[in-house]
Amino acid sequence: MSGLQEVKISCMGESYLEMRHSSGLHIMIYPKPQSHTSYAVFGTNYGSIDNVFRRSDEAEPTRVPEGIAHYLEHKMFENADGVDAFAKYAKTGANANAYTSFDKTCYLFSCTDHVYESLEILLDFVQKPYFTEQTVQKEQGIIGQEIRMYEDDPGWRVLFNMLSAMYKNHPVKLDIAGTVESIAKITPELLYECHKTFYNLNNMVLCVVGNVEPQKVLALCDKLLQPSQEVQVQRIFEPEPQGILKNRVSEKGSVAVPVFYLGFKAPAERRASTPELAQIEVLLEALCGESSPLFRRLLDAGLINESSFGNDYFEGPGYAAVVFSGESKDPDAVAAEIQKELAAVRKNGLDPALFADAKKSVYGQAVSGFNSVENLATSMLSAYFAGRSIADDVESIAQITLQDLQERLRVQMLPENAVLSVIHP
């Protein structure tokens, strides 16, 4: 089918299609004929941590201001014709957005009709940067206000306080939007340089999920994609020590109840594999899922509330951490209980019945995720950039053993790598 290769997801009885387009772009299409909604995401392997890099066709590394990836994302919606992309999407009825994370920048839309017209808008504007001195300076004020807003956001502060206590050199500790001072250094020339480097189609992926015809998607790609010569980019990070800088950091903010992040810095010499991610997910569900003894103890003691308490495995190029978060009248007591539970499980082993229930729960969540076009598209894109595939997700969960989780605990959530970050009222 015009170079498209079928990737089967055996346990689901489904499949998706993928190919390397002649332009250099990797394309993934997951047809869902019964879906009322279609979702597309066009992403680049470029995020806020990529502030120092060297192109293979350049002798010296380039250093750019903090926050430039996010700044570039904001500016991409403007066009030389004066009609921004959002105005064009308004005519198709699509709901469009974009975001910049630590390791990627994505442009997306969802729609019920006019999917191909919306896809044409997406493929067109992301490839056509347009910056002037005037528009770049105007954006500095807008993003400056956004930065100041995030500085006052307790949820944002508690995260970056934790990362700053955890990482000495890695740029993951830096605010995604940069600072008011750093964005003042951004110029049209720098934006064009970053677009040329990271918006090269060989560094990007397009994922389309929903009620779409693959051949029509490819026809648009053939029409609109501008072939680009592949250029290797070396991302340059300072060496990161294994340990943490502080085990506790706190400040006061506009909260009624203290909010906390308890993070455990993890080894990050390479990206986690699909089986490793599955093991961590099941382990966290067994340790502190809603059916776990730890969760019930914390809830019964009034130390957490169901709506805010959660966990996550946070990882990317050169960084990784297991994170517990929520609201609590006594975050230190919550952290102590989590550490106590981890020590007990390391010593006595994980309860087999708890493991079985956690595995079933995570497996069920993974299967249900295939019903969401948004979840599928974003998962496909994230997995591709990390060298993984969603085709292996469910099967990896099914193959996990109790012994796998015990081995995982030997290297994850070690007490010496813990950082507690708190925002007090």
PDB file of all heavy atoms in Angstrom, residues 24-54:
ATOM      1  N   GLY A  24      11.460  12.176   4.097  1.00  0.00           N
ATOM      2  CA  GLY A  24      12.204  11.928   5.327  1.00  0.00           C
ATOM      3  C   GLY A  24      11.308  11.771   6.536  1.00  0.00           C
ATOM      4  O   GLY A  24      11.739  11.284   7.582  1.00  0.00           O
ATOM      5  N   LEU A  25      10.029  12.167   6.428  1.00  0.00           N
ATOM      6  CA  LEU A  25       9.104  12.104   7.556  1.00  0.00           C
ATOM      7  C   LEU A  25       8.660  10.673   7.822  1.00  0.00           C
ATOM      8  O   LEU A  25       8.343   9.918   6.896  1.00  0.00           O
ATOM      9  CB  LEU A  25       7.869  12.970   7.267  1.00  0.00           C
ATOM     10  CG  LEU A  25       6.800  13.011   8.367  1.00  0.00           C
ATOM     11  CD1 LEU A  25       7.326  13.742   9.591  1.00  0.00           C
ATOM     12  CD2 LEU A  25       5.525  13.666   7.856  1.00  0.00           C
ATOM     13  N   HIS A  26       8.596  10.304   9.102  1.00  0.00           N
ATOM     14  CA  HIS A  26       8.027   9.018   9.489  1.00  0.00           C
ATOM     15  C   HIS A  26       6.523   9.218   9.693  1.00  0.00           C
ATOM     16  O   HIS A  26       6.104  10.102  10.443  1.00  0.00           O
ATOM     17  CB  HIS A  26       8.675   8.497  10.774  1.00  0.00           C
ATOM     18  CG  HIS A  26       8.396   7.047  11.018  1.00  0.00           C
ATOM     19  ND1 HIS A  26       9.140   6.039  10.452  1.00  0.00           N
ATOM     20  CD2 HIS A  26       7.428   6.430  11.752  1.00  0.00           C
ATOM     21  CE1 HIS A  26       8.653   4.871  10.833  1.00  0.00           C
ATOM     22  NE2 HIS A  26       7.621   5.078  11.617  1.00  0.00           N
ATOM     23  N   ILE A  27       5.725   8.392   9.040  1.00  0.00           N
ATOM     24  CA  ILE A  27       4.269   8.520   9.068  1.00  0.00           C
ATOM     25  C   ILE A  27       3.659   7.277   9.703  1.00  0.00           C
ATOM     26  O   ILE A  27       4.030   6.146   9.357  1.00  0.00           O
ATOM     27  CB  ILE A  27       3.691   8.716   7.652  1.00  0.00           C
ATOM     28  CG1 ILE A  27       4.284   9.970   7.003  1.00  0.00           C
ATOM     29  CG2 ILE A  27       2.163   8.793   7.692  1.00  0.00           C
ATOM     30  CD1 ILE A  27       3.944  10.104   5.532  1.00  0.00           C
ATOM     31  N   MET A  28       2.717   7.478  10.631  1.00  0.00           N
ATOM     32  CA  MET A  28       2.009   6.380  11.277  1.00  0.00           C
ATOM     33  C   MET A  28       0.509   6.669  11.187  1.00  0.00           C
ATOM     34  O   MET A  28       0.054   7.744  11.582  1.00  0.00           O
ATOM     35  CB  MET A  28       2.458   6.239  12.728  1.00  0.00           C
ATOM     36  CG  MET A  28       3.963   6.160  12.881  1.00  0.00           C
ATOM     37  SD  MET A  28       4.566   6.246  14.596  1.00  0.00           S
ATOM     38  CE  MET A  28       4.380   4.539  15.070  1.00  0.00           C
ATOM     39  N   ILE A  29      -0.249   5.707  10.660  1.00  0.00           N
ATOM     40  CA  ILE A  29      -1.691   5.868  10.461  1.00  0.00           C
ATOM     41  C   ILE A  29      -2.411   4.698  11.117  1.00  0.00           C
ATOM     42  O   ILE A  29      -2.121   3.530  10.821  1.00  0.00           O
ATOM     43  CB  ILE A  29      -2.054   5.927   8.966  1.00  0.00           C
ATOM     44  CG1 ILE A  29      -1.226   6.993   8.253  1.00  0.00           C
ATOM     45  CG2 ILE A  29      -3.549   6.199   8.787  1.00  0.00           C
ATOM     46  CD1 ILE A  29      -1.351   6.946   6.728  1.00  0.00           C
ATOM     47  N   TYR A  30      -3.332   5.014  12.018  1.00  0.00           N
ATOM     48  CA  TYR A  30      -4.091   3.979  12.726  1.00  0.00           C
ATOM     49  C   TYR A  30      -5.569   4.173  12.370  1.00  0.00           C
ATOM     50  O   TYR A  30      -6.268   4.958  12.992  1.00  0.00           O
ATOM     51  CB  TYR A  30      -3.892   4.136  14.242  1.00  0.00           C
ATOM     52  CG  TYR A  30      -4.196   2.899  15.069  1.00  0.00           C
ATOM     53  CD1 TYR A  30      -3.273   2.438  16.004  1.00  0.00           C
ATOM     54  CD2 TYR A  30      -5.402   2.218  14.944  1.00  0.00           C
ATOM     55  CE1 TYR A  30      -3.538   1.315  16.778  1.00  0.00           C
ATOM     56  CE2 TYR A  30      -5.670   1.104  15.709  1.00  0.00           C
ATOM     57  CZ  TYR A  30      -4.734   0.648  16.627  1.00  0.00           C
ATOM     58  OH  TYR A  30      -5.008  -0.471  17.397  1.00  0.00           O
ATOM     59  N   PRO A  31      -6.055   3.460  11.348  1.00  0.00           N
ATOM     60  CA  PRO A  31      -7.462   3.620  10.963  1.00  0.00           C
ATOM     61  C   PRO A  31      -8.406   3.079  12.035  1.00  0.00           C
ATOM     62  O   PRO A  31      -8.207   1.981  12.554  1.00  0.00           O
ATOM     63  CB  PRO A  31      -7.575   2.784   9.681  1.00  0.00           C
ATOM     64  CG  PRO A  31      -6.162   2.595   9.203  1.00  0.00           C
ATOM     65  CD  PRO A  31      -5.333   2.554  10.451  1.00  0.00           C
ATOM     66  N   LYS A  32      -9.413   3.880  12.374  1.00  0.00           N
ATOM     67  CA  LYS A  32     -10.465   3.492  13.317  1.00  0.00           C
ATOM     68  C   LYS A  32     -11.810   3.806  12.650  1.00  0.00           C
ATOM     69  O   LYS A  32     -12.416   4.850  12.914  1.00  0.00           O
ATOM     70  CB  LYS A  32     -10.319   4.277  14.626  1.00  0.00           C
ATOM     71  CG  LYS A  32      -9.164   3.853  15.510  1.00  0.00           C
ATOM     72  CD  LYS A  32      -9.594   2.697  16.388  1.00  0.00           C
ATOM     73  CE  LYS A  32      -8.595   2.396  17.478  1.00  0.00           C
ATOM     74  NZ  LYS A  32      -9.036   1.291  18.347  1.00  0.00           N
ATOM     75  N   PRO A  33     -12.277   2.928  11.760  1.00  0.00           N
ATOM     76  CA  PRO A  33     -13.471   3.228  10.958  1.00  0.00           C
ATOM     77  C   PRO A  33     -14.716   3.538  11.777  1.00  0.00           C
ATOM     78  O   PRO A  33     -15.591   4.280  11.316  1.00  0.00           O
ATOM     79  CB  PRO A  33     -13.661   1.949  10.129  1.00  0.00           C
ATOM     80  CG  PRO A  33     -12.309   1.313  10.096  1.00  0.00           C
ATOM     81  CD  PRO A  33     -11.684   1.636  11.411  1.00  0.00           C
ATOM     82  N   GLN A  34     -14.803   2.998  12.983  1.00  0.00           N
ATOM     83  CA  GLN A  34     -15.997   3.209  13.804  1.00  0.00           C
ATOM     84  C   GLN A  34     -15.915   4.480  14.648  1.00  0.00           C
ATOM     85  O   GLN A  34     -16.876   4.844  15.324  1.00  0.00           O
ATOM     86  CB  GLN A  34     -16.208   2.005  14.734  1.00  0.00           C
ATOM     87  CG  GLN A  34     -16.283   0.666  14.020  1.00  0.00           C
ATOM     88  CD  GLN A  34     -17.353   0.637  12.939  1.00  0.00           C
ATOM     89  OE1 GLN A  34     -18.459   1.123  13.142  1.00  0.00           O
ATOM     90  NE2 GLN A  34     -17.009   0.082  11.781  1.00  0.00           N
ATOM     91  N   SER A  35     -14.784   5.143  14.619  1.00  0.00           N
ATOM     92  CA  SER A  35     -14.601   6.334  15.450  1.00  0.00           C
ATOM     93  C   SER A  35     -15.300   7.542  14.834  1.00  0.00           C
ATOM     94  O   SER A  35     -15.271   7.743  13.622  1.00  0.00           O
ATOM     95  CB  SER A  35     -13.118   6.631  15.631  1.00  0.00           C
ATOM     96  OG  SER A  35     -12.923   7.834  16.341  1.00  0.00           O
ATOM     97  N   HIS A  36     -15.912   8.350  15.691  1.00  0.00           N
ATOM     98  CA  HIS A  36     -16.543   9.583  15.232  1.00  0.00           C
ATOM     99  C   HIS A  36     -15.544  10.741  15.178  1.00  0.00           C
ATOM    100  O   HIS A  36     -15.836  11.793  14.612  1.00  0.00           O
ATOM    101  CB  HIS A  36     -17.706   9.957  16.158  1.00  0.00           C
ATOM    102  CG  HIS A  36     -18.815   8.956  16.161  1.00  0.00           C
ATOM    103  ND1 HIS A  36     -19.594   8.703  15.053  1.00  0.00           N
ATOM    104  CD2 HIS A  36     -19.266   8.120  17.132  1.00  0.00           C
ATOM    105  CE1 HIS A  36     -20.490   7.770  15.336  1.00  0.00           C
ATOM    106  NE2 HIS A  36     -20.292   7.391  16.581  1.00  0.00           N
ATOM    107  N   THR A  37     -14.378  10.537  15.798  1.00  0.00           N
ATOM    108  CA  THR A  37     -13.383  11.600  15.886  1.00  0.00           C
ATOM    109  C   THR A  37     -12.076  11.149  15.256  1.00  0.00           C
ATOM    110  O   THR A  37     -11.688   9.990  15.372  1.00  0.00           O
ATOM    111  CB  THR A  37     -13.124  11.971  17.364  1.00  0.00           C
ATOM    112  OG1 THR A  37     -14.352  12.326  17.978  1.00  0.00           O
ATOM    113  CG2 THR A  37     -12.163  13.152  17.462  1.00  0.00           C
ATOM    114  N   SER A  38     -11.407  12.079  14.597  1.00  0.00           N
ATOM    115  CA  SER A  38     -10.053  11.833  14.086  1.00  0.00           C
ATOM    116  C   SER A  38      -9.089  12.776  14.790  1.00  0.00           C
ATOM    117  O   SER A  38      -9.451  13.891  15.169  1.00  0.00           O
ATOM    118  CB  SER A  38      -9.996  12.054  12.576  1.00  0.00           C
ATOM    119  OG  SER A  38     -10.808  11.119  11.900  1.00  0.00           O
ATOM    120  N   TYR A  39      -7.862  12.317  14.957  1.00  0.00           N
ATOM    121  CA  TYR A  39      -6.862  13.067  15.714  1.00  0.00           C
ATOM    122  C   TYR A  39      -5.532  12.943  14.983  1.00  0.00           C
ATOM    123  O   TYR A  39      -5.137  11.850  14.570  1.00  0.00           O
ATOM    124  CB  TYR A  39      -6.757  12.483  17.120  1.00  0.00           C
ATOM    125  CG  TYR A  39      -5.964  13.300  18.109  1.00  0.00           C
ATOM    126  CD1 TYR A  39      -6.598  14.135  19.019  1.00  0.00           C
ATOM    127  CD2 TYR A  39      -4.576  13.206  18.162  1.00  0.00           C
ATOM    128  CE1 TYR A  39      -5.885  14.867  19.950  1.00  0.00           C
ATOM    129  CE2 TYR A  39      -3.845  13.946  19.095  1.00  0.00           C
ATOM    130  CZ  TYR A  39      -4.511  14.768  19.981  1.00  0.00           C
ATOM    131  OH  TYR A  39      -3.793  15.499  20.900  1.00  0.00           O
ATOM    132  N   ALA A  40      -4.861  14.055  14.825  1.00  0.00           N
ATOM    133  CA  ALA A  40      -3.546  14.053  14.171  1.00  0.00           C
ATOM    134  C   ALA A  40      -2.568  14.856  14.996  1.00  0.00           C
ATOM    135  O   ALA A  40      -2.918  15.906  15.548  1.00  0.00           O
ATOM    136  CB  ALA A  40      -3.642  14.640  12.765  1.00  0.00           C
ATOM    137  N   VAL A  41      -1.332  14.359  15.089  1.00  0.00           N
ATOM    138  CA  VAL A  41      -0.286  15.090  15.787  1.00  0.00           C
ATOM    139  C   VAL A  41       0.984  15.035  14.932  1.00  0.00           C
ATOM    140  O   VAL A  41       1.367  13.979  14.423  1.00  0.00           O
ATOM    141  CB  VAL A  41      -0.044  14.526  17.211  1.00  0.00           C
ATOM    142  CG1 VAL A  41       0.280  13.039  17.182  1.00  0.00           C
ATOM    143  CG2 VAL A  41       1.057  15.297  17.924  1.00  0.00           C
ATOM    144  N   PHE A  42       1.575  16.203  14.750  1.00  0.00           N
ATOM    145  CA  PHE A  42       2.776  16.382  13.930  1.00  0.00           C
ATOM    146  C   PHE A  42       3.843  16.884  14.894  1.00  0.00           C
ATOM    147  O   PHE A  42       3.762  18.012  15.394  1.00  0.00           O
ATOM    148  CB  PHE A  42       2.471  17.405  12.845  1.00  0.00           C
ATOM    149  CG  PHE A  42       3.494  17.520  11.741  1.00  0.00           C
ATOM    150  CD1 PHE A  42       4.502  16.594  11.567  1.00  0.00           C
ATOM    151  CD2 PHE A  42       3.409  18.579  10.840  1.00  0.00           C
ATOM    152  CE1 PHE A  42       5.414  16.707  10.534  1.00  0.00           C
ATOM    153  CE2 PHE A  42       4.322  18.710   9.803  1.00  0.00           C
ATOM    154  CZ  PHE A  42       5.315  17.775   9.645  1.00  0.00           C
ATOM    155  N   GLY A  43       4.829  16.038  15.212  1.00  0.00           N
ATOM    156  CA  GLY A  43       5.773  16.386  16.268  1.00  0.00           C
ATOM    157  C   GLY A  43       7.213  16.318  15.834  1.00  0.00           C
ATOM    158  O   GLY A  43       7.588  15.590  14.908  1.00  0.00           O
ATOM    159  N   THR A  44       8.027  17.086  16.540  1.00  0.00           N
ATOM    160  CA  THR A  44       9.467  17.071  16.320  1.00  0.00           C
ATOM    161  C   THR A  44      10.191  16.651  17.586  1.00  0.00           C
ATOM    162  O   THR A  44       9.773  16.990  18.702  1.00  0.00           O
ATOM    163  CB  THR A  44       9.981  18.453  15.847  1.00  0.00           C
ATOM    164  OG1 THR A  44      11.413  18.438  15.822  1.00  0.00           O
ATOM    165  CG2 THR A  44       9.526  19.581  16.759  1.00  0.00           C
ATOM    166  N   ASN A  45      11.263  15.933  17.385  1.00  0.00           N
ATOM    167  CA  ASN A  45      12.078  15.440  18.488  1.00  0.00           C
ATOM    168  C   ASN A  45      12.958  16.587  18.992  1.00  0.00           C
ATOM    169  O   ASN A  45      14.172  16.608  18.816  1.00  0.00           O
ATOM    170  CB  ASN A  45      12.932  14.264  17.995  1.00  0.00           C
ATOM    171  CG  ASN A  45      13.665  13.555  19.111  1.00  0.00           C
ATOM    172  OD1 ASN A  45      13.342  13.712  20.276  1.00  0.00           O
ATOM    173  ND2 ASN A  45      14.658  12.773  18.741  1.00  0.00           N
ATOM    174  N   TYR A  46      12.301  17.558  19.624  1.00  0.00           N
ATOM    175  CA  TYR A  46      12.950  18.808  20.022  1.00  0.00           C
ATOM    176  C   TYR A  46      12.162  19.435  21.166  1.00  0.00           C
ATOM    177  O   TYR A  46      10.967  19.700  21.030  1.00  0.00           O
ATOM    178  CB  TYR A  46      12.980  19.768  18.831  1.00  0.00           C
ATOM    179  CG  TYR A  46      13.428  21.175  19.121  1.00  0.00           C
ATOM    180  CD1 TYR A  46      14.597  21.421  19.835  1.00  0.00           C
ATOM    181  CD2 TYR A  46      12.702  22.272  18.662  1.00  0.00           C
ATOM    182  CE1 TYR A  46      15.024  22.717  20.090  1.00  0.00           C
ATOM    183  CE2 TYR A  46      13.120  23.574  18.906  1.00  0.00           C
ATOM    184  CZ  TYR A  46      14.284  23.793  19.618  1.00  0.00           C
ATOM    185  OH  TYR A  46      14.706  25.072  19.860  1.00  0.00           O
ATOM    186  N   GLY A  47      12.833  19.621  22.299  1.00  0.00           N
ATOM    187  CA  GLY A  47      12.142  20.179  23.459  1.00  0.00           C
ATOM    188  C   GLY A  47      12.992  21.191  24.200  1.00  0.00           C
ATOM    189  O   GLY A  47      14.044  21.640  23.721  1.00  0.00           O
ATOM    190  N   SER A  48      12.554  21.521  25.395  1.00  0.00           N
ATOM    191  CA  SER A  48      13.192  22.591  26.157  1.00  0.00           C
ATOM    192  C   SER A  48      14.602  22.254  26.617  1.00  0.00           C
ATOM    193  O   SER A  48      15.383  23.144  26.953  1.00  0.00           O
ATOM    194  CB  SER A  48      12.328  22.941  27.369  1.00  0.00           C
ATOM    195  OG  SER A  48      12.285  21.863  28.293  1.00  0.00           O
ATOM    196  N   ILE A  49      14.941  20.960  26.656  1.00  0.00           N
ATOM    197  CA  ILE A  49      16.279  20.583  27.127  1.00  0.00           C
ATOM    198  C   ILE A  49      17.349  20.759  26.048  1.00  0.00           C
ATOM    199  O   ILE A  49      18.547  20.671  26.330  1.00  0.00           O
ATOM    200  CB  ILE A  49      16.316  19.134  27.646  1.00  0.00           C
ATOM    201  CG1 ILE A  49      16.006  18.142  26.526  1.00  0.00           C
ATOM    202  CG2 ILE A  49      15.357  18.955  28.823  1.00  0.00           C
ATOM    203  CD1 ILE A  49      16.165  16.681  26.934  1.00  0.00           C
ATOM    204  N   ASP A  50      16.927  21.013  24.802  1.00  0.00           N
ATOM    205  CA  ASP A  50      17.877  21.058  23.686  1.00  0.00           C
ATOM    206  C   ASP A  50      18.419  22.462  23.470  1.00  0.00           C
ATOM    207  O   ASP A  50      18.188  23.098  22.436  1.00  0.00           O
ATOM    208  CB  ASP A  50      17.202  20.545  22.411  1.00  0.00           C
ATOM    209  CG  ASP A  50      16.759  19.104  22.538  1.00  0.00           C
ATOM    210  OD1 ASP A  50      17.562  18.286  23.023  1.00  0.00           O
ATOM    211  OD2 ASP A  50      15.614  18.797  22.160  1.00  0.00           O
ATOM    212  N   ASN A  51      19.180  22.926  24.435  1.00  0.00           N
ATOM    213  CA  ASN A  51      19.715  24.291  24.382  1.00  0.00           C
ATOM    214  C   ASN A  51      21.153  24.374  23.861  1.00  0.00           C
ATOM    215  O   ASN A  51      21.629  25.459  23.538  1.00  0.00           O
ATOM    216  CB  ASN A  51      19.653  24.926  25.774  1.00  0.00           C
ATOM    217  CG  ASN A  51      18.234  25.130  26.249  1.00  0.00           C
ATOM    218  OD1 ASN A  51      17.345  25.401  25.443  1.00  0.00           O
ATOM    219  ND2 ASN A  51      18.002  24.990  27.548  1.00  0.00           N
ATOM    220  N   VAL A  52      21.829  23.232  23.809  1.00  0.00           N
ATOM    221  CA  VAL A  52      23.189  23.184  23.257  1.00  0.00           C
ATOM    222  C   VAL A  52      23.239  21.995  22.304  1.00  0.00           C
ATOM    223  O   VAL A  52      22.961  20.869  22.698  1.00  0.00           O
ATOM    224  CB  VAL A  52      24.262  23.033  24.350  1.00  0.00           C
ATOM    225  CG1 VAL A  52      25.662  23.109  23.721  1.00  0.00           C
ATOM    226  CG2 VAL A  52      24.107  24.092  25.432  1.00  0.00           C
ATOM    227  N   PHE A  53      23.596  22.254  21.046  1.00  0.00           N
ATOM    228  CA  PHE A  53      23.597  21.180  20.053  1.00  0.00           C
ATOM    229  C   PHE A  53      24.631  21.460  18.964  1.00  0.00           C
ATOM    230  O   PHE A  53      25.081  22.590  18.778  1.00  0.00           O
ATOM    231  CB  PHE A  53      22.200  21.029  19.426  1.00  0.00           C
ATOM    232  CG  PHE A  53      21.650  22.289  18.827  1.00  0.00           C
ATOM    233  CD1 PHE A  53      21.929  22.637  17.507  1.00  0.00           C
ATOM    234  CD2 PHE A  53      20.850  23.146  19.581  1.00  0.00           C
ATOM    235  CE1 PHE A  53      21.426  23.805  16.944  1.00  0.00           C
ATOM    236  CE2 PHE A  53      20.345  24.319  19.033  1.00  0.00           C
ATOM    237  CZ  PHE A  53      20.630  24.650  17.709  1.00  0.00           C
ATOM    238  N   ARG A  54      24.990  20.403  18.273  1.00  0.00           N
ATOM    239  CA  ARG A  54      25.927  20.536  17.152  1.00  0.00           C
ATOM    240  C   ARG A  54      25.366  19.771  15.966  1.00  0.00           C
ATOM    241  O   ARG A  54      25.097  18.570  16.048  1.00  0.00           O
ATOM    242  CB  ARG A  54      27.306  20.000  17.509  1.00  0.00           C
ATOM    243  CG  ARG A  54      28.323  20.143  16.354  1.00  0.00           C
ATOM    244  CD  ARG A  54      29.627  19.410  16.607  1.00  0.00           C
ATOM    245  NE  ARG A  54      30.420  20.038  17.663  1.00  0.00           N
ATOM    246  CZ  ARG A  54      30.623  19.499  18.863  1.00  0.00           C
ATOM    247  NH1 ARG A  54      30.076  18.328  19.160  1.00  0.00           N
ATOM    248  NH2 ARG A  54      31.357  20.113  19.757  1.00  0.00           N
TER     249      ARG A  54
END
